[in-house]
Every structure is written in C-alpha cells, then in structure tokens.
Amino acid sequence: MKLNSSNEGGLTRRRFIKYGSFAAASSIMVACGQGGGDTTKTTATSSSGATSSASPAADGKKGIKVGVMYSTTGTIAIVEKSLQDATFLAIDQINEGTGPWAGKKGINGQMIEKVVVNPDSNWDLYNQMSKRLIDEDKVVCVLGCYTSASRKSVLPVFEEKNSILYYPVYYEGNECSSNVFYTGAAPNQQITDSIPYCIKNFGKKGFFIGSDYIYPKESNRIAKAELVNGGGEVVGDEYAALGTTEFITIINKIKQAKPNFILSNLVGDSIPAFYKQLKDAGITSKDIPIMAFPTTEEEIQAMGPEFAEGHYSSFNYFQTVDTPENKAFVEQFKAKFGKDRVTNGVMEAAYIQTFFMAQAMEKLAKEGKEFNTANLREATRGQIFKAPQGTVKSDPDNYHTYLYSRIGKWKSDGQAEIVFSTKAAVKPIPWSQALYKGRICVHKTPDDRSSPNVETKKDIPAEFLKEA
C-alpha cells in the first residue's frame, strides 16, 4: 500500500521503528477464556514465519486461538474500542456459558483464547498484524477491522494465506470474498432506504461530506447515484483528511450551496468536531438535517447529544431497538463495562459475528471435524442468530448477512427514535444496484474461490428473511 501525504495511517520512519519493535516483542496480548476471559498477559510469539493456510485441529486440550484486531488508540479508537468490548463480552459469554450461550461451556468444552492486537488506526499495521496472527500465532480465524481502508489492507493477506476474516462494519459493498464473512450492512441495507427517506422528508438537494479514504468516497458515490435516480440533485461533495477537526471552510460551502440535507460519511474524531462546528455556525437540524452512516451512539456520547439532536443516522441497530435480546444485551454490556456506556450498530455486528463463529465451531466440534478454513467457511455460511436487532442470518450465497434496515432520529438524551424499520432482516446485495444493475454475488460451492460475480441484467427485488 502506498504511503501518501495525507498519512491515512501511513508509517513514518519513527512510527515504523516504534511499532515494528512493538509487534516483534509484545503487541500480541493473549487472553485465556478460563476465568471469564479478563486475565490478559503479554507474551512473546514465535518467529517461525510459517505460511501454512491450515489452522490447528481442536484437540480437546488447548484453547481455540482466535485473533481480535481492533484499534484501541488513534483516530478511529473512538468507536473501534467498542467493537473490541462487544467481542470480549461475546467470548466471555461463550466461555462461561452465559447470555445467548447459556447452558453450554465454551466450544464443546474448549475455551476460546483471544489473541489481541492493536493496530493503532494504522492501515499498514493491520496488514502486518494479520500476517503475524495467521503465520506465527496460528489463529483459527480473525475478528476485526473497522474502516474499509483497513479491510482492503488485510484482504490480500487472508486471500493469499486462505484464512478467514470476520468483518463487522457497514461498508461500500462492491466486494465479495470467499475469505471474509461480512456482518455489517451492504449498500442495500443502509443506503437504499436512507436516500428516498431524505428526498421525501427533507427535499431533493443533498450536500455530501466524508473522510478522505475509500469507504466514504465509494459510499457517497452510491448515495449520489441513488439521489440522482430518485430525481434529486447533488449540490456539494467534499472530503476531509482522516482525523480532521477543522471544518469551517466546508461549512461555508454548505451555507453557499443551501442543501436540503447533508449526507455525512465522516468517521472517527471528525464526527464530533463537524457536528459541534456546524451548530456553532448557526446551522441546526431544523435548518439542514444530517443523514449519517458512521455516526452512532458512541460518537454522540462523545460530542454531547445537544449537537446531534434532530439529526439522523441510518443503521441496522440502535440501542433503543425493542427486542428481548436487545434488552438483555444492553444490560449485560453495561454490567461488564459500566452503566454509562452505550451500545451501537457496529459493536452489535461484532457481537453477531462472534456468535456466528462460535456456532460454526460448535458444529465442527460435534462432527469431529478439523478447525481449518474450508470447514469453518462451510459451517459459518447459513448460520442464524437471534441478535439484539432481531433474527439475522449469514447468507450462504455471498457470505454477507441478512440485516434489518433502520433510520433513527437523535433525541436530547443521545438515543435514537426509530422512524423507519424494515419488517424483517433484508437479504444482502453486495453490489450497489444503483451503479451495477443486476450484478450479484454467488459462491457456487463453499470452498470455491473463483469470482462469484453474476451478471443477471435484471432488477433485483428486495428479499426478507423468513423466520422458521
């Protein structure tokens, strides 16, 4: 990956020395599931440099090593830390036999062993650490990544070494890898409903803003196509370097353009800064509402709800979702991490994927099968889970996830009033139909790693999950 002047996680020489030595000695934190999974210790890992794609078999004696790769420092840590927390909660519940795993104990008696790394919001470190997790730590799979830039950085590693990444974040789509299970929203589960909502409720003129990397640009490209297809008009399209906290110039352009709404794909620390400066500039949600994709309860808590009140987010999950599973999830999360913490859509997806993985492992263990990539891939596809958002399913065709589509309007207490929701989880369509009409993804067989793209040249109707 090329380094660039905007330093989207690029390594300077000083940072390379710092984090190169860090990875070589103690960047990997192993947390054993016994005793609730909260006991962490620093360990040195081997320097074997092995490149075998097969993961070790479950032998009934050792823990099952799983990589956990989220940034807990850097500009993306504001939300990515919550994904790690949700993953830790799920693994503890699996090891202890609590929550959705009540009545069981680990994976057929074996504990999941977390091998934890912190890539420091740096795309190059994600790449390095994924190699280390696979080659040296011999993890069965990896749970991790947040931004599309980090996913794109590690994707060649997982495909070359034929290992599995569980990726929990809404994204721009237009990808369908046999080495990734996607539990975040595809474009048709987040963008497709939000743009018509904006046109109907706010007006046809949209101003687009985002952080300057692949996800915001591609997501906005899809959203702009949806807006134009719906008879709307793009009156602005601006991007800020990742981590930017100065938005006066862009806000002045918004004032000049006079849009009916702002579509925001800012991420990380930029989110609170933009919302605060927009209000300080005299623009409220009544003047120009924001429809955002990356803005969750986590960022709103960080900025203060008064800056987000009246604005909107499009997500599959909000803390206010009214299901028994969500009430339990929120209660259990707060009990573990603090009563003032909030839950959010991306951390719920991280929670979902951990249980997809565990259910697949349990199936393999009961069948006496090896925990390798081919078997885990086959066992994960088609998994169903009663998630906090409602019942979801790993699509066996394209390895994305049936998810609900929802729109929330932020209130003064920092929580969302859900103003739109689909009746059930929506079948994922990885390719944007606004840009690539009729293109779908179908993995012909579980271990087929050839191109899954199929050109139907037809309109693809929405499909909903039918609960048994």
Side-chain angles (χ1 to χ4, degrees), residues 300 304-306 308-310 409-415:
I300 288 168
E306 65 272 20
E309 185 178 2
K409 182 179 182 180
W410 298 109
K411 302 183 297 180
S412 60
D413 63 355
Q415 292 297 315

Side-chain angles (χ1 to χ4, degrees), residues 28 49 76 115 210 214 242 244 252 331 344 346 437 468:
I28 312 274
I76 306 299
V115 186
I214 183 172
L242 192 66
T244 293
N252 285 335
E331 180 180 330
N344 64 66
V346 283
K437 181 179 177 180

Side-chain angles (χ1 to χ4, degrees), residues 8 44 86 254 282 325 330 381 411-412 420:
E8 290 183 12
I254 291 171
E325 290 79 13
V330 173
R381 61 197 294 269
K411 302 183 297 180
S412 60
F420 169 84

Side-chain angles (χ1 to χ4, degrees), residues 63-301:
I64 304 168
K65 284 188 175 183
V66 172
V68 179
M69 185 168 59
Y70 296 113
S71 290
T72 53
T73 54
T75 189
I76 306 299
I78 187 174
V79 66
E80 203 158 339
K81 175 65 166 61
S82 72
L83 278 77
Q84 178 174 284
D85 290 343
T87 301
F88 284 3
L89 173 63
I91 291 175
D92 285 353
Q93 290 178 333
I94 293 159
N95 285 341
E96 297 167 1
T98 59
W101 214 250
K104 307 177 186 181
K105 196 78 171 180
I107 307 298
N108 241 25
Q110 290 181 263
M111 300 296 103
I112 295 176
E113 184 179 283
K114 305 189 291 282
V115 186
V116 183
V117 296
N118 170 23
D120 190 43
S121 302
N122 185 300
W123 317 151
D124 294 301
L125 283 178
Y126 281 92
N127 181 284
Q128 295 170 29
M129 290 179 175
S130 62
K131 291 176 183 176
R132 187 179 182 85
L133 287 169
I134 297 167
D135 289 343
E136 298 186 23
D137 291 281
K138 307 295 184 184
V139 298
V140 175
C141 58
V142 176
L143 305 159
C145 294
Y146 175 75
T147 64
S148 286
S150 62
R151 188 192 73 257
K152 289 292 189 183
S153 177
V154 306
L155 186 58
V157 176
F158 284 88
E159 292 184 334
E160 176 189 348
K161 298 178 184 296
N162 194 22
S163 187
I164 289 180
L165 171 70
Y166 290 87
Y167 177 65
V169 182
Y170 56 95
Y171 82 121
E172 70 282 358
N174 306 337
E175 178 181 294
C176 195
S177 173
S178 62
N179 293 91
V180 181
F181 281 93
Y182 308 77
T183 54
N188 72 305
Q189 297 166 318
Q190 187 174 40
I191 302 173
T192 300
D193 289 318
S194 62
I195 296 301
Y197 185 92
C198 289
I199 293 172
K200 179 179 178 181
N201 292 279
F202 311 142
K204 294 184 176 182
K205 296 193 295 182
F207 192 104
F208 292 74
I209 183 173
S211 296
D212 192 6
Y213 71 96
I214 183 172
Y215 163 72
K217 287 186 172 181
E218 284 298 295
S219 183
N220 279 354
R221 186 165 74 99
I222 295 166
K224 287 185 289 185
E226 294 275 9
L227 179 62
V228 172
N229 289 348
E233 179 186 358
V234 178
V235 296
D237 189 23
E238 295 288 332
Y239 298 90
L242 192 66
T244 293
T245 56
E246 175 55 64
F247 289 97
I248 299 303
T249 300
I250 290 177
I251 289 171
N252 285 335
K253 291 181 180 180
I254 291 171
K255 287 181 175 180
Q256 292 171 4
K258 298 180 180 178
N260 298 123
F261 66 93
I262 298 166
L263 196 292
S264 174
N265 269 309
L266 293 170
V267 303
D269 294 336
S270 295
I271 295 173
F274 177 68
Y275 279 69
K276 286 181 177 181
Q277 290 169 36
L278 191 70
K279 186 172 183 179
D280 288 345
I283 301 174
T284 69
S285 58
K286 292 181 180 179
D287 301 318
I288 309 175
I290 299 170
M291 175 65 75
F293 299 150
T295 303
T296 75
E297 290 87 344
E298 203 76 29
E299 291 87 359
I300 288 168
Q301 186 180 59

